[in-house]
Amino acid sequence: MTTLEVRTRQRIETIDITGLVQEAVEPDTDGICVVYTPHTTTAIAINEGADPDVAHDIERNLAALFPKKGDYRHVEGNSDAHLKSILIGPSETIPVEGGKLLLGQWQSIYFCEFDGPRRRRVFVRTQAET
Amino acid sequence: MTTLEVRTRQRIETIDITGLVQEAVEPDTDGICVVYTPHTTTAIAINEGADPDVAHDIERNLAALFPKKGDYRHVEGNSDAHLKSILIGPSETIPVEGGKLLLGQWQSIYFCEFDGPRRRRVFVRTQAET
Amino acid sequence: MTTLEVRTRQRIETIDITGLVQEAVEPDTDGICVVYTPHTTTAIAINEGADPDVAHDIERNLAALFPKKGDYRHVEGNSDAHLKSILIGPSETIPVEGGKLLLGQWQSIYFCEFDGPRRRRVFVRTQAET
């Protein structure tokens, strides 16, 4: 298993980690790759990487669903971040062939920061098919 | 690994692919099955298949959260589709026993098209337990 | 594979099952653990377990997105539960090392009931890395 270090620079940030994850996949392996974030105010997503406006639209429209100041009881003031993390989810599982992630032509793997800036970790585990 | 071909007929469509996925699972295998879509405006979901009104309610209520014309910067006019894809997610992982998907009695596997009609692909990979 | 039995007491309830899942993981295994609910009005989530207000905020804000009485066609009166289940999703996949779930310091595994009270099941499968 490989642990990636991700440093975020803003409260809300969408960072393309496709290259880092691909480097961490075991070479010549057929199977699956699990990308997992162990934090409660971040998430892993897969979507279009070519146009940065897509990341912008995600950030803006999730903020509309769960505004920073909303109907929240949690006193740390980051309930919006917890809610987004739960909806997007802490992991993605991607098929692997010959050591290569079988992402679609337009797919990138995103690390989603919802309560930065912070130092974050991402676990990448390749499971070989038997 | 098996690649399914799915042809969608409408912009937004929810297609039950449970039978196709079950056929693609390796016989007599114990483990897990990963169902993955390599597109950025589609998703894989699991929910009730018995009543077609459930799919209708999903389509209609997701459209209420992310309307086709909203506060979007992405110029292709399909940001609503990207957002839905991210929230539902590109894959599902299902336990398998004796080559059979361990879906619940009411669970079906859905291919969710959010920006069709198009020709789409779905990857199905069985990982045997060692 | 282990099947957990979960009995829910309310219509909407968020139950911490981290301890039960950890007990079900195969000892001394490196790999992944898949936690899967076979029901269509429940979900598996991962988020903060330390502060019960986080679960409260999840329940309340999901109810704001999908109210019990909304624009639904499904006649059983639980479309809100189906929608929440689809968005959160029926499973989580967690890396395992030495038989231990690699959850972050603040992460708990939640069974989310959206249409209880009922008797529910959760499948826990450990897949060893080869």
Side-chain angles (χ1 to χ4, degrees):
Chain A
M1 202 187 69
T2 302
T3 302
L4 308 178
E5 309 277 340
V6 180
R7 182 186 283 229
T8 61
R9 308 276 170 188
Q10 299 180 290
R11 177 155 201 265
I12 294 173
E13 199 174 351
T14 311
I15 298 173
D16 190 331
I17 57 170
T18 313
L20 294 171
V21 174
Q22 179 57 63
E23 277 173 34
V25 173
E26 304 267 325
D28 303 319
T29 306
D30 292 340
I32 56 174
C33 173
V34 175
V35 184
Y36 184 89
T37 173
H39 309 284
T40 58
T41 51
T42 66
I44 306 294
I46 292 177
N47 211 263
E48 183 173 328
D51 178 3
D53 284 347
V54 172
H56 170 270
D57 289 344
I58 296 164
E59 293 174 7
R60 194 168 179 114
N61 282 274
L62 285 179
L65 289 190
F66 304 116
K68 177 131 180 37
K69 293 184 185 230
D71 179 12
Y72 309 126
R73 210 187 264 178
H74 182 52
V75 294
E76 288 176 32
N78 60 355
S79 286
D80 62 321
H82 289 293
L83 284 158
K84 293 171 188 174
S85 296
I86 288 166
L87 280 203
I88 309 292
S91 77
E92 295 288 353
T93 300
I94 305 142
V96 169
E97 223 156 55
K100 206 177 165 303
L101 294 165
L102 288 185
L103 294 165
Q105 186 184 358
W106 303 107
Q107 285 183 322
S108 289
I109 306 167
Y110 283 122
F111 179 81
C112 304
E113 171 66 81
F114 297 124
D115 194 33
R118 300 205 211 185
R119 287 171 175 276
R120 302 293 202 173
R121 285 178 305 153
V122 176
F123 302 144
V124 181
R125 165 147 271 164
T126 317
Q127 294 271 130
E129 202 171 353
T130 50
Chain B
M1 202 187 69
T2 302
T3 302
L4 308 178
E5 309 277 341
V6 180
R7 183 186 283 228
T8 62
R9 310 274 171 190
Q10 300 179 292
R11 178 157 200 264
I12 294 174
E13 199 174 349
T14 311
I15 298 173
D16 190 329
I17 57 170
T18 313
L20 294 171
V21 174
Q22 178 57 64
E23 278 173 34
V25 173
E26 304 267 326
D28 304 319
T29 305
D30 292 341
I32 56 174
C33 173
V34 175
V35 184
Y36 183 89
T37 174
H39 309 285
T40 57
T41 51
T42 67
I44 306 295
I46 291 177
N47 211 263
E48 183 173 328
D51 178 2
D53 285 347
V54 172
H56 170 270
D57 289 344
I58 296 165
E59 294 174 7
R60 194 170 179 113
N61 283 273
L62 285 180
L65 290 189
F66 305 116
K68 177 133 179 36
K69 294 185 187 229
D71 180 12
Y72 308 127
R73 210 188 266 178
H74 182 51
V75 295
E76 289 177 31
N78 60 356
S79 286
D80 62 321
H82 289 293
L83 285 159
K84 293 170 187 174
S85 295
I86 288 166
L87 280 203
I88 309 293
S91 78
E92 295 288 355
T93 300
I94 306 142
V96 169
E97 222 156 55
K100 208 176 163 302
L101 294 164
L102 288 186
L103 293 165
Q105 185 184 0
W106 303 107
Q107 284 183 323
S108 289
I109 306 168
Y110 283 121
F111 179 82
C112 304
E113 171 65 81
F114 296 123
D115 194 33
R118 300 205 211 183
R119 288 170 174 276
R120 302 293 202 172
R121 287 177 305 153
V122 175
F123 303 143
V124 181
R125 164 147 271 163
T126 317
Q127 294 271 130
E129 203 170 352
T130 50
Chain C
M1 203 186 70
T2 302
T3 302
L4 308 178
E5 309 277 341
V6 180
R7 184 185 281 229
T8 61
R9 309 275 171 191
Q10 299 179 291
R11 177 156 200 265
I12 294 173
E13 198 174 352
T14 310
I15 298 173
D16 191 330
I17 57 170
T18 313
L20 294 171
V21 175
Q22 179 57 64
E23 277 173 35
V25 174
E26 305 267 325
D28 304 319
T29 305
D30 293 340
I32 55 174
C33 174
V34 175
V35 184
Y36 184 89
T37 173
H39 309 284
T40 58
T41 51
T42 66
I44 306 295
I46 292 178
N47 211 262
E48 183 172 328
D51 177 3
D53 285 346
V54 172
H56 170 271
D57 288 344
I58 296 164
E59 294 174 7
R60 194 169 180 112
N61 282 273
L62 285 180
L65 289 190
F66 304 117
K68 176 131 178 37
K69 293 183 188 230
D71 180 12
Y72 309 127
R73 210 187 264 178
H74 182 52
V75 295
E76 288 177 32
N78 60 356
S79 286
D80 62 321
H82 289 294
L83 284 159
K84 292 170 186 173
S85 296
I86 288 167
L87 280 203
I88 309 293
S91 77
E92 295 288 353
T93 300
I94 305 141
V96 169
E97 223 156 55
K100 206 176 164 303
L101 295 165
L102 287 186
L103 293 165
Q105 186 183 359
W106 304 106
Q107 285 184 322
S108 289
I109 306 168
Y110 283 122
F111 179 82
C112 304
E113 171 66 82
F114 297 123
D115 193 33
R118 301 205 210 184
R119 287 171 175 275
R120 303 292 202 172
R121 286 177 305 154
V122 176
F123 303 144
V124 181
R125 165 146 271 164
T126 317
Q127 294 271 131
E129 202 170 354
T130 50

Coordinates of all heavy atoms in Angstrom, one line a residue, chain A residues 22-30 96-100 126:
Chain A
Q22 N -1.7 6.8 -10.2 CA -1.2 5.8 -11.3 C 0.2 5.4 -10.9 O 0.5 4.2 -11.1 CB -1.3 6.5 -12.6 CG -0.7 5.7 -13.8 CD -1.4 4.3 -13.9 OE1 -2.6 4.3 -14.2 NE2 -0.7 3.2 -13.7
E23 N 1.0 6.3 -10.4 CA 2.4 5.9 -10.0 C 2.4 4.9 -8.9 O 3.3 4.1 -8.7 CB 3.2 7.2 -9.5 CG 3.8 8.0 -10.6 CD 4.4 9.3 -10.1 OE1 4.9 9.3 -8.9 OE2 4.3 10.3 -10.8
A24 N 1.4 4.9 -8.0 CA 1.3 4.0 -6.9 C 0.7 2.7 -7.2 O 0.8 1.7 -6.4 CB 0.5 4.7 -5.8
V25 N 0.2 2.5 -8.4 CA -0.4 1.2 -8.8 C 0.7 0.2 -9.0 O 1.7 0.5 -9.7 CB -1.3 1.3 -10.0 CG1 -1.8 0.0 -10.5 CG2 -2.5 2.2 -9.7
E26 N 0.6 -1.0 -8.5 CA 1.6 -2.0 -8.8 C 1.7 -2.3 -10.3 O 0.7 -2.6 -10.9 CB 1.2 -3.4 -8.1 CG 0.9 -3.2 -6.6 CD 2.2 -3.5 -5.8 OE1 3.0 -4.4 -6.2 OE2 2.3 -2.9 -4.7
P27 N 2.9 -2.3 -10.8 CA 3.1 -2.5 -12.3 C 2.6 -4.0 -12.7 O 2.7 -4.9 -11.8 CB 4.6 -2.4 -12.5 CG 5.2 -1.8 -11.3 CD 4.2 -2.1 -10.2
D28 N 2.2 -4.1 -13.9 CA 1.9 -5.4 -14.5 C 0.8 -6.1 -13.7 O 0.7 -7.4 -13.7 CB 3.1 -6.3 -14.5 CG 4.2 -5.7 -15.3 OD1 3.9 -5.1 -16.4 OD2 5.4 -5.8 -14.9
T29 N -0.1 -5.4 -12.9 CA -1.1 -6.0 -12.2 C -2.4 -5.9 -12.9 O -2.8 -4.9 -13.4 CB -1.2 -5.4 -10.8 OG1 0.0 -5.4 -10.2 CG2 -2.3 -6.1 -9.9
D30 N -3.2 -7.0 -12.8 CA -4.6 -7.0 -13.2 C -5.4 -7.0 -11.9 O -5.2 -7.9 -11.1 CB -5.0 -8.2 -14.1 CG -4.4 -8.1 -15.5 OD1 -3.9 -7.0 -15.9 OD2 -4.3 -9.2 -16.1
V96 N -8.1 -2.2 -12.9 CA -6.7 -2.0 -13.3 C -6.3 -3.1 -14.3 O -6.7 -4.3 -14.0 CB -5.7 -2.1 -12.1 CG1 -4.3 -2.2 -12.5 CG2 -5.9 -0.9 -11.2
E97 N -5.7 -2.8 -15.4 CA -5.2 -3.9 -16.3 C -3.8 -3.6 -16.7 O -3.5 -2.5 -17.1 CB -6.1 -3.9 -17.5 CG -6.4 -5.4 -17.9 CD -7.7 -5.5 -18.7 OE1 -7.9 -4.9 -19.7 OE2 -8.6 -6.3 -18.3
G98 N -2.9 -4.6 -16.6 CA -1.5 -4.4 -16.9 C -0.9 -3.2 -16.1 O 0.0 -2.6 -16.6
G99 N -1.3 -3.0 -14.9 CA -0.8 -1.9 -14.1 C -1.3 -0.6 -14.4 O -0.9 0.4 -13.8
K100 N -2.3 -0.5 -15.3 CA -2.8 0.8 -15.7 C -4.3 1.0 -15.2 O -5.1 0.1 -15.4 CB -2.8 0.8 -17.3 CG -2.7 2.2 -17.8 CD -2.6 2.3 -19.3 CE -2.9 3.6 -19.9 NZ -4.2 4.2 -19.5
T126 N -3.5 -1.6 -4.3 CA -3.8 -2.4 -5.5 C -4.1 -3.8 -5.0 O -3.4 -4.4 -4.2 CB -2.6 -2.5 -6.5 OG1 -2.1 -1.2 -6.6 CG2 -3.0 -3.0 -7.8

